[in-house]
Protein backbone atom coordinates (compact mmCIF):
# COMPACT_ATOMS: atom_id res chain seq x y z
CA UNK A 1 0.00 0.00 0.00
CA UNK A 2 1.32 3.42 -0.93
CA UNK A 3 2.32 5.83 1.85
CA UNK A 4 -0.18 8.43 0.63
CA UNK A 5 -3.02 6.01 1.41
CA UNK A 6 -1.86 5.60 5.00
CA UNK A 7 -1.04 9.22 5.82
CA UNK A 8 -4.62 10.58 6.15
CA UNK A 9 -5.57 7.95 8.73
CA UNK A 10 -2.48 8.45 10.89
CA UNK A 11 -2.76 12.23 10.50
CA UNK A 12 -6.31 12.03 11.83
CA UNK A 13 -5.05 9.90 14.71
CA UNK A 14 -2.33 12.40 15.51
CA UNK A 15 -4.82 15.26 15.63
CA UNK A 16 -7.66 13.42 17.38
CA UNK A 17 -8.48 13.19 21.10
CA UNK A 18 -7.77 9.48 21.27
CA UNK A 19 -4.16 10.10 22.20
CA UNK A 20 -5.19 10.85 25.75
CA UNK A 21 -7.73 8.06 25.96
CA UNK A 22 -7.12 4.50 27.00
CA UNK A 23 -9.45 1.66 26.15
CA UNK A 24 -10.41 -0.86 28.83
CA UNK A 25 -8.50 -4.09 28.78
CA UNK A 26 -11.12 -6.69 27.98
CA UNK A 27 -8.98 -9.65 28.97
CA UNK A 28 -8.31 -8.62 32.57
CA UNK A 29 -11.10 -10.75 34.03
CA UNK A 30 -10.81 -13.97 32.09
CA UNK A 31 -11.19 -15.01 28.49
CA UNK A 32 -12.92 -12.69 25.99
CA UNK A 33 -13.77 -12.84 22.29
CA UNK A 34 -10.35 -11.46 21.39
CA UNK A 35 -8.04 -12.53 24.23
CA UNK A 36 -7.36 -15.94 25.73
CA UNK A 37 -6.73 -16.66 29.41
CA UNK A 38 -3.11 -15.57 29.07
CA UNK A 39 -4.19 -12.20 27.63
CA UNK A 40 -2.85 -13.11 24.19
CA UNK A 41 -4.80 -12.33 21.05
CA UNK A 42 -6.61 -15.42 19.82
CA UNK A 43 -5.62 -16.76 16.43
CA UNK A 44 -9.30 -16.78 15.44
CA UNK A 45 -9.58 -13.08 16.25
CA UNK A 46 -6.46 -12.24 14.24
CA UNK A 47 -7.84 -14.28 11.33
CA UNK A 48 -11.14 -12.38 11.43
CA UNK A 49 -9.30 -9.05 11.35
CA UNK A 50 -7.15 -10.25 8.46
CA UNK A 51 -10.17 -11.50 6.50
CA UNK A 52 -12.01 -8.22 7.04
CA UNK A 53 -9.00 -6.27 5.82
CA UNK A 54 -8.71 -8.38 2.70
CA UNK A 55 -12.44 -7.88 2.03
CA UNK A 56 -12.11 -4.11 2.50
CA UNK A 57 -14.58 -4.14 5.41
CA UNK A 58 -12.98 -1.30 7.36
CA UNK A 59 -16.02 -0.70 9.55
CA UNK A 60 -15.91 -4.32 10.69
CA UNK A 61 -12.18 -4.03 11.40
CA UNK A 62 -12.82 -0.92 13.49
CA UNK A 63 -15.56 -2.64 15.50
CA UNK A 64 -13.31 -5.63 16.17
CA UNK A 65 -10.34 -3.55 17.30
CA UNK A 66 -12.13 -0.81 19.26
CA UNK A 67 -12.51 -2.76 22.57
CA UNK A 68 -8.80 -3.63 22.68
CA UNK A 69 -6.25 -2.10 25.03
CA UNK A 70 -3.53 -0.06 23.22
CA UNK A 71 -0.96 -2.75 24.05
CA UNK A 72 -3.16 -5.39 22.41
CA UNK A 73 -3.61 -3.21 19.32
CA UNK A 74 0.18 -2.97 19.13
CA UNK A 75 0.36 -6.79 19.41
CA UNK A 76 -2.16 -7.07 16.57
CA UNK A 77 0.10 -5.04 14.30
CA UNK A 78 2.99 -7.41 15.07
CA UNK A 79 0.90 -10.53 14.42
CA UNK A 80 -0.26 -9.35 10.99
CA UNK A 81 1.88 -9.61 7.88
CA UNK A 82 3.89 -6.50 7.02
CA UNK A 83 1.70 -5.89 3.95
CA UNK A 84 -1.46 -5.82 6.11
CA UNK A 85 -0.20 -3.33 8.72
CA UNK A 86 -0.72 -0.12 6.70
CA UNK A 87 -4.26 -1.28 5.84
CA UNK A 88 -5.00 -1.86 9.52
CA UNK A 89 -3.74 1.62 10.43
CA UNK A 90 -5.95 3.12 7.74
CA UNK A 91 -8.97 1.12 8.95
CA UNK A 92 -8.85 1.93 12.67
CA UNK A 93 -8.21 5.70 12.19
CA UNK A 94 -8.45 7.42 15.61
CA UNK A 95 -7.68 4.19 17.51
CA UNK A 96 -4.07 4.63 16.35
CA UNK A 97 -3.23 6.50 19.55
CA UNK A 98 0.13 7.53 20.89
CA UNK A 99 -0.20 4.74 23.46
CA UNK A 100 -0.40 2.23 20.60
CA UNK A 101 2.67 3.74 18.94
CA UNK A 102 4.56 3.60 22.25
CA UNK A 103 3.75 -0.10 22.77
CA UNK A 104 4.76 -1.19 19.29
CA UNK A 105 7.73 -3.36 18.46
CA UNK A 106 10.64 -1.18 17.30
CA UNK A 107 10.74 -2.59 13.76
CA UNK A 108 6.97 -2.34 13.30
CA UNK A 109 6.88 1.22 14.64
CA UNK A 110 9.77 2.24 12.43
CA UNK A 111 7.92 1.01 9.33
CA UNK A 112 4.78 2.99 10.16
CA UNK A 113 6.64 6.12 11.24
CA UNK A 114 8.56 6.15 7.95
CA UNK A 115 5.23 6.49 6.12
CA UNK A 116 4.28 9.70 7.94
CA UNK A 117 5.37 13.29 7.18
CA UNK A 118 7.38 15.15 9.80
CA UNK A 119 4.47 17.23 11.10
CA UNK A 120 2.39 14.13 11.88
CA UNK A 121 5.26 12.42 13.68
CA UNK A 122 5.73 15.61 15.71
CA UNK A 123 2.02 15.54 16.65
CA UNK A 124 2.42 11.99 17.95
CA UNK A 125 5.71 12.69 19.75
CA UNK A 126 4.20 15.63 21.66
CA UNK A 127 1.54 13.31 23.10
CA UNK A 128 4.08 10.79 24.36
CA UNK A 129 6.23 10.79 27.46
CA UNK A 130 9.75 11.96 26.70
CA UNK A 131 11.26 8.48 26.95
CA UNK A 132 8.65 7.03 24.57
CA UNK A 133 9.08 9.91 22.13
CA UNK A 134 12.85 9.37 22.17
CA UNK A 135 12.36 5.66 21.48
CA UNK A 136 10.27 6.56 18.44
CA UNK A 137 12.68 9.15 17.04
CA UNK A 138 16.09 7.70 17.86
CA UNK A 139 16.04 5.22 14.97
CA UNK A 140 15.24 7.88 12.37
CA UNK A 141 17.94 9.33 10.15
CA UNK A 142 19.53 12.53 11.40
CA UNK A 143 17.80 14.58 8.71
CA UNK A 144 14.40 13.07 9.53
CA UNK A 145 14.96 13.66 13.25
CA UNK A 146 15.71 17.33 12.67
CA UNK A 147 12.67 17.70 10.43
CA UNK A 148 10.40 16.26 13.13
CA UNK A 149 11.97 18.32 15.91
CA UNK A 150 11.52 21.48 13.86
CA UNK A 151 7.75 20.87 13.87
CA UNK A 152 7.51 20.48 17.66
CA UNK A 153 6.83 23.06 20.34
CA UNK A 154 10.04 24.50 21.86
CA UNK A 155 9.59 22.89 25.29
CA UNK A 156 9.02 19.37 23.96
CA UNK A 157 11.75 19.76 21.36
CA UNK A 158 14.30 20.83 23.97
CA UNK A 159 13.48 17.83 26.19
CA UNK A 160 13.88 15.35 23.33
CA UNK A 161 17.06 16.97 22.00
CA UNK A 162 18.59 16.78 25.47
CA UNK A 163 17.67 13.10 25.76
CA UNK A 164 19.03 12.28 22.30
CA UNK A 165 22.35 13.86 23.31
CA UNK A 166 22.88 11.09 25.88
CA UNK A 167 24.39 7.73 24.83
CA UNK A 168 22.06 5.04 23.58
CA UNK A 169 20.71 2.67 26.27
CA UNK A 170 21.68 5.12 29.02
CA UNK A 171 19.60 6.47 31.89
CA UNK A 172 19.39 9.81 30.09
CA UNK A 173 17.53 8.15 27.20
CA UNK A 174 15.37 6.10 29.53
CA UNK A 175 14.32 8.77 32.04
CA UNK A 176 11.13 10.79 32.06
CA UNK A 177 11.09 14.52 32.75
CA UNK A 178 7.53 14.34 34.07
CA UNK A 179 8.17 14.41 37.84
CA UNK A 180 7.37 16.50 40.92
CA UNK A 181 10.19 18.34 42.71
CA UNK A 182 9.58 20.88 45.49
CA UNK A 183 11.83 23.06 47.69
CA UNK A 184 12.83 21.89 51.14
CA UNK A 185 11.08 24.72 53.02
CA UNK A 186 7.59 23.45 52.13
CA UNK A 187 5.21 21.86 54.58
CA UNK A 188 2.90 18.94 53.82
CA UNK A 189 0.01 21.38 53.44
CA UNK A 190 1.99 23.55 51.03
CA UNK A 191 2.77 20.49 48.92
CA UNK A 192 -0.84 19.31 48.77
CA UNK A 193 -1.99 22.80 47.73
CA UNK A 194 0.73 22.94 45.08
CA UNK A 195 -0.27 19.60 43.62
CA UNK A 196 -3.92 20.66 43.47
CA UNK A 197 -3.34 24.09 41.95
CA UNK A 198 -0.33 23.78 39.65
CA UNK A 199 -1.57 22.49 36.31
CA UNK A 200 2.00 21.83 35.17
CA UNK A 201 2.63 19.22 37.87
CA UNK A 202 3.10 15.64 36.75
CA UNK A 203 -0.12 13.66 36.44
CA UNK A 204 1.25 10.27 37.47
CA UNK A 205 3.86 9.82 40.19
CA UNK A 206 4.58 7.71 43.28
CA UNK A 207 6.86 10.00 45.21
CA UNK A 208 7.81 13.66 45.42
CA UNK A 209 11.44 14.75 45.25
CA UNK A 210 12.61 17.37 47.74
CA UNK A 211 15.45 19.54 46.40
CA UNK A 212 17.67 22.33 47.67
CA UNK A 213 18.28 25.72 46.06
CA UNK A 214 20.75 24.19 43.56
CA UNK A 215 18.16 21.56 42.57
CA UNK A 216 20.12 18.78 44.22
CA UNK A 217 17.82 16.00 45.54
CA UNK A 218 17.73 15.85 49.32
CA UNK A 219 15.15 13.11 49.79
CA UNK A 220 11.80 11.71 48.71
CA UNK A 221 8.28 11.77 50.12
CA UNK A 222 6.00 8.86 49.29
CA UNK A 223 2.40 9.78 48.59
CA UNK A 224 1.26 7.51 51.44
CA UNK A 225 3.33 9.54 53.91
CA UNK A 226 2.05 12.85 52.57
CA UNK A 227 -1.60 11.83 52.85
CA UNK A 228 -1.20 10.66 56.46
CA UNK A 229 0.93 13.53 57.78
CA UNK A 230 -0.57 16.70 59.34
CA UNK A 231 -0.52 19.75 57.07
CA UNK A 232 1.77 21.68 59.41
CA UNK A 233 4.60 19.14 59.32
CA UNK A 234 7.69 20.14 57.32
CA UNK A 235 8.62 17.93 54.38
CA UNK A 236 12.13 17.60 55.75
CA UNK A 237 10.64 15.85 58.80
CA UNK A 238 8.81 13.16 56.83
CA UNK A 239 11.00 12.72 53.78
CA UNK A 240 13.25 9.70 53.28
CA UNK A 241 16.84 10.92 53.01
CA UNK A 242 18.32 7.58 51.96
CA UNK A 243 17.67 7.48 48.22
CA UNK A 244 19.17 5.82 45.16
CA UNK A 245 20.42 8.35 42.62
CA UNK A 246 20.94 7.32 38.99
CA UNK A 247 23.62 9.17 36.94
CA UNK A 248 22.42 10.16 33.46
CA UNK A 249 25.30 8.26 31.81
CA UNK A 250 24.58 4.95 33.58
CA UNK A 251 23.86 2.02 31.27
CA UNK A 252 20.24 0.88 31.31
CA UNK A 253 21.27 -2.63 32.34
CA UNK A 254 22.94 -1.27 35.47
CA UNK A 255 19.82 0.83 36.12
CA UNK A 256 17.69 -2.31 36.01
CA UNK A 257 20.04 -4.08 38.41
CA UNK A 258 19.75 -1.23 40.93
CA UNK A 259 15.96 -1.32 40.74
CA UNK A 260 16.05 -5.05 41.30
CA UNK A 261 18.61 -4.92 44.12
CA UNK A 262 16.96 -2.12 46.10
CA UNK A 263 13.30 -2.93 45.20
CA UNK A 264 12.71 0.54 43.75
CA UNK A 265 9.48 1.88 42.28
CA UNK A 266 11.07 5.07 41.00
CA UNK A 267 14.45 6.76 41.25
CA UNK A 268 15.86 10.23 40.66
CA UNK A 269 18.24 10.80 37.73
CA UNK A 270 20.99 13.38 38.26
CA UNK A 271 23.40 15.07 35.86
CA UNK A 272 27.16 15.48 36.24
CA UNK A 273 26.64 18.39 38.67
CA UNK A 274 24.26 16.35 40.84
CA UNK A 275 21.15 18.27 39.75
CA UNK A 276 17.83 16.45 39.44
CA UNK A 277 16.96 16.15 35.73
CA UNK A 278 14.47 13.29 35.56
CA UNK A 279 13.12 10.10 37.04
CA UNK A 280 12.99 6.46 36.02
CA UNK A 281 9.99 4.35 37.02
CA UNK A 282 9.65 0.62 37.39
CA UNK A 283 7.39 0.21 34.35
CA UNK A 284 10.28 1.32 32.14
CA UNK A 285 12.71 -0.99 33.95
CA UNK A 286 10.50 -4.05 33.45
CA UNK A 287 10.94 -3.66 29.68
CA UNK A 288 14.69 -3.26 30.10
CA UNK A 289 15.02 -6.43 32.21
CA UNK A 290 13.09 -8.39 29.61
CA UNK A 291 15.12 -6.98 26.72
CA UNK A 292 18.52 -7.50 28.36
CA UNK A 293 17.75 -11.06 29.47
CA UNK A 294 16.57 -12.08 26.02
CA UNK A 295 19.42 -10.23 24.35
CA UNK A 296 22.13 -12.15 26.24
CA UNK A 297 20.59 -15.53 25.38
CA UNK A 298 20.33 -14.66 21.69
CA UNK A 299 23.82 -13.18 21.53
CA UNK A 300 25.26 -16.39 22.97
CA UNK A 301 23.86 -18.23 19.96
CA UNK A 302 24.86 -15.54 17.46
CA UNK A 303 21.22 -15.02 16.46
CA UNK A 304 21.31 -11.21 16.69
CA UNK A 305 18.27 -9.47 18.14
CA UNK A 306 16.13 -12.54 17.53
CA UNK A 307 13.17 -10.30 16.71
CA UNK A 308 10.75 -12.02 14.32
CA UNK A 309 9.81 -8.59 13.01
CA UNK A 310 13.41 -7.77 12.11
CA UNK A 311 14.03 -7.37 8.35
CA UNK A 312 15.11 -10.68 6.80
CA UNK A 313 18.25 -9.28 5.17
CA UNK A 314 19.46 -7.86 8.49
CA UNK A 315 18.83 -11.20 10.21
CA UNK A 316 20.70 -13.09 7.47
CA UNK A 317 23.67 -10.74 7.70
CA UNK A 318 23.88 -11.03 11.50
CA UNK A 319 23.60 -14.80 11.61
CA UNK A 320 25.88 -15.35 8.63
CA UNK A 321 28.65 -13.31 10.20
CA UNK A 322 28.80 -15.59 13.24
CA UNK A 323 28.40 -18.72 11.14
CA UNK A 324 31.47 -17.66 9.16
CA UNK A 325 33.38 -17.18 12.42
CA UNK A 326 32.25 -20.64 13.54
CA UNK A 327 33.44 -22.03 10.23
CA UNK A 328 36.89 -20.65 10.95
CA UNK A 329 37.03 -22.26 14.40
CA UNK A 330 35.81 -25.54 12.92
CA UNK A 331 38.69 -25.46 10.44
CA UNK A 332 41.13 -24.98 13.33
CA UNK A 333 39.65 -28.01 15.12
CA UNK A 334 39.81 -30.11 11.96
CA UNK A 335 43.47 -29.20 11.52
CA UNK A 336 44.15 -30.82 14.89
CA UNK A 337 42.51 -34.00 13.65
CA UNK A 338 44.70 -33.80 10.55
CA UNK A 339 47.80 -34.04 12.74
CA UNK A 340 46.72 -37.56 13.72
CA UNK A 341 45.68 -38.74 10.26
CA UNK A 342 48.10 -41.64 10.41
CA UNK A 343 46.84 -42.83 13.79
CA UNK A 344 43.24 -42.69 12.62
CA UNK A 345 44.07 -44.69 9.47
CA UNK A 346 45.67 -47.40 11.63
CA UNK A 347 42.73 -47.54 14.08
CA UNK A 348 39.53 -46.29 12.44
CA UNK A 349 37.69 -46.72 15.75
CA UNK A 350 39.32 -43.47 16.90
CA UNK A 351 37.32 -41.53 14.29
CA UNK A 352 34.11 -43.07 15.61
CA UNK A 353 34.76 -42.16 19.24
CA UNK A 354 36.47 -38.76 19.09
CA UNK A 355 33.25 -36.72 18.45
CA UNK A 356 31.95 -38.00 21.81
CA UNK A 357 34.79 -36.34 23.69
CA UNK A 358 34.54 -33.00 21.89
CA UNK A 359 30.73 -32.96 21.96
CA UNK A 360 30.48 -33.62 25.70
CA UNK A 361 33.13 -31.00 26.36
CA UNK A 362 31.18 -28.49 24.28
CA UNK A 363 28.02 -29.16 26.28
CA UNK A 364 29.88 -28.78 29.58
CA UNK A 365 31.48 -25.54 28.40
CA UNK A 366 28.10 -24.14 27.35
CA UNK A 367 26.64 -24.88 30.79
CA UNK A 368 29.46 -23.05 32.55
CA UNK A 369 29.35 -20.21 30.03
CA UNK A 370 25.63 -19.63 30.54
CA UNK A 371 26.05 -19.45 34.32
CA UNK A 372 29.04 -17.09 34.12
CA UNK A 373 27.50 -14.71 31.56
CA UNK A 374 24.39 -14.42 33.71
CA UNK A 375 26.49 -13.87 36.83
CA UNK A 376 28.40 -11.09 35.08
CA UNK A 377 25.19 -9.49 33.81
CA UNK A 378 23.63 -9.47 37.29
CA UNK A 379 26.83 -8.36 39.09
CA UNK A 380 27.01 -11.64 41.02
CA UNK A 381 30.49 -12.23 39.59
CA UNK A 382 32.96 -9.44 40.35
CA UNK A 383 36.71 -9.11 40.81
CA UNK A 384 36.33 -9.91 44.51
CA UNK A 385 34.97 -13.43 43.94
CA UNK A 386 36.43 -14.40 40.54
CA UNK A 387 39.02 -16.80 41.98
CA UNK A 388 36.40 -18.51 44.13
CA UNK A 389 34.14 -18.85 41.08
CA UNK A 390 36.94 -20.38 39.00
CA UNK A 391 37.74 -22.93 41.71
CA UNK A 392 34.04 -23.75 42.09
CA UNK A 393 33.55 -24.38 38.38
CA UNK A 394 36.75 -26.46 38.20
CA UNK A 395 35.51 -28.68 41.03
CA UNK A 396 32.20 -29.12 39.23
CA UNK A 397 34.01 -29.86 35.96
CA UNK A 398 36.29 -32.39 37.65
CA UNK A 399 33.37 -34.22 39.28
CA UNK A 400 31.36 -34.30 36.06
CA UNK A 401 34.38 -35.23 33.97
CA UNK A 402 35.33 -38.07 36.30
CA UNK A 403 31.78 -39.43 36.32
CA UNK A 404 31.41 -39.23 32.54
CA UNK A 405 34.92 -40.57 32.03
CA UNK A 406 34.27 -43.64 34.16
CA UNK A 407 30.94 -44.23 32.41
CA UNK A 408 32.23 -43.94 28.85
CA UNK A 409 35.51 -45.66 29.71
CA UNK A 410 33.84 -48.77 31.09
CA UNK A 411 31.33 -48.84 28.24
CA UNK A 412 34.00 -48.59 25.52
CA UNK A 413 36.27 -51.08 27.26
CA UNK A 414 33.46 -53.65 27.49
CA UNK A 415 31.84 -53.07 24.08
CA UNK A 416 35.10 -53.12 22.10
CA UNK A 417 36.91 -55.52 24.43
CA UNK A 418 39.75 -53.00 24.74
CA UNK A 419 40.34 -51.76 28.31
CA UNK A 420 43.22 -49.54 27.19
CA UNK A 421 40.97 -47.72 24.71
CA UNK A 422 38.40 -47.29 27.48
CA UNK A 423 41.04 -45.78 29.77
CA UNK A 424 42.15 -43.39 27.01
CA UNK A 425 38.68 -42.06 26.23
CA UNK A 426 37.82 -41.82 29.95
CA UNK A 427 40.96 -39.79 30.66
CA UNK A 428 40.35 -37.60 27.62
CA UNK A 429 36.80 -36.96 28.82
CA UNK A 430 38.11 -35.81 32.21
CA UNK A 431 40.74 -33.53 30.63
CA UNK A 432 38.30 -31.95 28.19
CA UNK A 433 35.68 -31.31 30.89
CA UNK A 434 38.30 -29.55 32.98
CA UNK A 435 39.27 -27.42 29.98
CA UNK A 436 35.60 -26.74 29.26
CA UNK A 437 35.02 -25.53 32.82
CA UNK A 438 38.14 -23.34 32.72
CA UNK A 439 37.32 -21.87 29.31
CA UNK A 440 33.66 -21.41 30.23
CA UNK A 441 34.60 -19.01 33.01
CA UNK A 442 37.94 -17.60 31.82
CA UNK A 443 36.80 -16.49 28.35
CA UNK A 444 33.79 -14.37 29.45
CA UNK A 445 35.67 -12.94 32.44
CA UNK A 446 38.61 -11.86 30.26
CA UNK A 447 36.29 -10.37 27.65
CA UNK A 448 34.41 -8.52 30.37
CA UNK A 449 37.67 -7.09 31.74
CA UNK A 450 38.52 -5.95 28.20
CA UNK A 451 35.13 -4.15 28.01
CA UNK A 452 33.85 -6.57 25.37
CA UNK A 453 30.33 -7.97 25.81
CA UNK A 454 30.96 -11.60 26.87
CA UNK A 455 27.56 -12.66 25.55
CA UNK A 456 28.60 -11.76 22.00
CA UNK A 457 31.93 -13.55 21.58
CA UNK A 458 32.34 -16.13 24.35
CA UNK A 459 30.52 -19.07 22.77
CA UNK A 460 32.77 -19.11 19.69
CA UNK A 461 35.99 -19.27 21.70
CA UNK A 462 34.70 -21.78 24.25
CA UNK A 463 33.54 -24.12 21.49
CA UNK A 464 36.90 -23.85 19.77
CA UNK A 465 38.73 -24.72 23.01
CA UNK A 466 36.57 -27.78 23.73
CA UNK A 467 36.79 -29.07 20.15
CA UNK A 468 40.55 -28.62 19.91
CA UNK A 469 41.28 -30.05 23.36
CA UNK A 470 38.79 -32.88 22.89
CA UNK A 471 40.41 -34.08 19.69
CA UNK A 472 43.95 -33.41 20.87
CA UNK A 473 43.61 -35.13 24.26
CA UNK A 474 41.88 -38.23 22.89
CA UNK A 475 44.02 -38.73 19.79
CA UNK A 476 47.20 -37.65 21.55
CA UNK A 477 46.69 -40.12 24.39
CA UNK A 478 45.89 -42.87 21.93
CA UNK A 479 49.20 -42.30 20.16
CA UNK A 480 51.08 -41.88 23.45
CA UNK A 481 49.99 -45.27 24.82
CA UNK A 482 50.58 -47.02 21.49
CA UNK A 483 46.99 -47.74 20.50
CA UNK A 484 47.65 -46.44 16.96
Amino acid sequence: MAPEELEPALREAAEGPAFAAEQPRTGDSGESDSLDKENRLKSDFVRRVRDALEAGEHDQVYDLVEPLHPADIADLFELLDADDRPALARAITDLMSADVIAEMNDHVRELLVELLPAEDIAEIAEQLDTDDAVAMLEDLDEADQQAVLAEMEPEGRAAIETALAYPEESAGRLMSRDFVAVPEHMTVGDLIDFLREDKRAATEFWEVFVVDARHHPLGTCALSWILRAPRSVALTDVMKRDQTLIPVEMDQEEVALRFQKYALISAAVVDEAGRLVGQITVDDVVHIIQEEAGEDVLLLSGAGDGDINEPILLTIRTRLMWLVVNLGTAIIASSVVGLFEGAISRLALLAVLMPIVSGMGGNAGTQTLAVVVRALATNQLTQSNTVRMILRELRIAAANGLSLGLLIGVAVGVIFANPLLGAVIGTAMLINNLMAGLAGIAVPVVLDRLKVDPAVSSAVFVTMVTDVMGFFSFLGLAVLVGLA
Side-chain angles (χ1 to χ4, degrees):
M1 182 171 295
E4 56 269 17
E5 295 177 320
L6 176 59
E7 289 175 8
L10 293 188
R11 186 180 296 111
E12 181 179 345
E15 296 170 353
F19 281 100
E22 183 170 304
Q23 302 297 326
R25 189 171 181 82
T26 56
D28 285 345
S29 57
E31 194 167 355
S32 70
D33 291 339
S34 57
L35 301 173
D36 60 19
K37 293 180 180 178
E38 284 76 33
N39 269 337
R40 298 175 300 189
L41 290 171
K42 294 179 178 179
S43 58
D44 178 66
F45 174 81
V46 177
R47 179 184 55 78
R48 281 187 286 150
V49 172
R50 185 184 293 113
D51 290 344
L53 285 173
E54 293 177 355
E57 300 289 343
H58 288 180
D59 290 341
Q60 182 183 353
V61 174
Y62 189 98
D63 292 339
L64 287 169
V65 176
E66 185 177 17
L68 296 181
H69 186 278
D72 295 318
I73 298 177
D75 287 344
L76 179 59
F77 273 93
E78 296 177 26
L79 292 172
L80 291 176
D81 295 335
D83 294 338
D84 292 329
R85 292 167 186 164
L88 175 61
R90 187 163 62 91
I92 64 177
T93 59
D94 59 310
L95 298 180
M96 277 291 298
S97 68
D99 292 327
V100 174
I101 296 291
E103 293 288 344
M104 276 185 182
N105 172 274
D106 291 345
H107 297 291
V108 176
R109 181 175 60 228
E110 184 178 351
L111 172 65
L112 292 177
V113 168
E114 286 178 353
L115 299 177
L116 283 171
E119 58 268 22
D120 293 341
I121 302 175
E123 289 274 0
I124 296 173
E126 288 177 337
Q127 301 297 327
L128 296 171
D129 291 337
T130 304
D131 53 333
D132 292 327
V134 169
M136 183 176 69
L137 298 181
E138 64 183 354
D139 293 327
L140 295 178
D141 296 335
E142 180 67 24
D144 293 335
Q145 278 186 10
Q146 294 305 317
V148 172
L149 292 171
E151 298 290 337
M152 297 183 65
E153 295 296 327
E155 185 177 355
R157 179 173 67 247
I160 293 178
E161 285 177 337
T162 302
L164 288 172
Y166 294 118
E168 290 188 23
E169 299 188 345
S170 67
R173 290 281 185 101
L174 185 63
M175 71 181 180
S176 170
R177 287 162 178 76
D178 194 23
F179 60 91
V180 177
V182 295
E184 57 184 316
H185 59 73
M186 272 191 173
T187 64
V188 171
D190 294 333
L191 174 58
I192 292 175
D193 293 339
F194 166 76
L195 294 175
R196 288 174 177 171
E197 298 170 3
D198 195 325
K199 303 301 182 183
R200 297 172 299 174
T203 56
E204 294 184 6
F205 56 94
W206 291 271
E207 59 185 358
V208 173
F209 299 104
V210 181
V211 297
D212 62 15
R214 296 175 299 170
H215 215 64
H216 291 177
L218 300 175
T220 60
C221 290
L223 291 181
S224 57
W225 306 344
I226 296 170
L227 292 175
R228 290 190 301 230
R231 289 179 60 89
S232 59
V233 174
L235 291 182
T236 52
D237 292 335
V238 296
M239 73 179 184
K240 177 183 177 183
R241 297 182 181 275
D242 182 20
Q243 58 179 325
T244 301
L245 302 179
I246 307 293
V248 288
E249 301 286 344
M250 179 178 287
D251 185 84
Q252 64 179 21
E253 189 171 2
E254 180 61 30
V255 173
L257 289 174
R258 291 204 179 184
F259 267 73
Q260 182 180 11
K261 181 177 181 179
Y262 299 115
L264 302 177
I265 295 178
S266 63
V269 181
V270 295
D271 62 14
E272 295 82 355
R275 295 186 297 266
L276 177 65
V277 293
Q279 72 167 341
I280 295 176
T281 53
V282 69
D283 58 319
D284 297 314
V285 172
V286 168
H287 292 293
I288 299 304
I289 292 174
Q290 182 181 15
E291 289 175 6
E292 295 290 347
E295 181 182 89
D296 286 346
V297 172
L298 291 165
L299 288 175
L300 277 172
S301 63
D305 290 340
D307 193 328
I308 61 175
N309 295 295
E310 184 181 50
I312 292 179
L313 290 179
L314 179 59
T315 302
I316 292 173
R317 184 167 68 246
T318 302
R319 295 187 188 184
L320 183 60
M321 178 185 70
W322 286 108
L323 289 174
V324 170
V325 173
N326 285 332
L327 178 61
T329 59
I331 292 173
I332 295 175
S334 66
S335 65
V336 174
V337 177
L339 297 175
F340 298 93
E341 182 179 357
I344 295 174
S345 64
R346 290 190 293 272
L347 183 60
L349 193 56
L350 296 176
V352 176
L353 297 175
M354 64 183 186
I356 298 176
V357 180
S358 62
M360 293 303 298
N363 290 335
T366 301
Q367 289 177 341
T368 303
L369 180 61
V371 171
V372 173
V373 169
R374 180 186 180 277
L376 288 170
T378 57
N379 284 343
Q380 289 181 305
L381 177 56
T382 63
Q383 291 187 0
S384 60
N385 65 349
T386 298
V387 174
R388 178 167 61 85
M389 185 72 171
I390 292 175
L391 295 176
R392 176 182 183 273
E393 289 301 323
L394 285 178
R395 287 198 296 270
I396 294 172
N400 290 339
L402 184 60
S403 300
L404 292 172
L406 288 173
L407 185 62
I408 189 66
V410 171
V412 168
V414 171
I415 293 173
F416 298 103
N418 191 334
L420 185 57
L421 180 60
V424 166
I425 193 172
T427 304
M429 186 73 74
L430 173 60
I431 293 173
N432 203 28
N433 267 265
L434 286 170
M435 291 303 303
L438 182 60
I441 186 171
V443 170
V445 166
V446 170
L447 291 174
D448 184 64
R449 299 290 189 269
L450 296 175
K451 305 302 181 184
V452 178
D453 189 349
V456 176
S457 309
S458 297
V460 175
F461 295 112
V462 171
T463 301
M464 181 182 70
V465 169
T466 56
D467 284 349
V468 169
M469 288 305 302
F471 294 142
F472 186 79
S473 60
F474 178 56
L475 297 176
L477 285 172
V479 171
L480 185 64
V481 301
L483 274 174

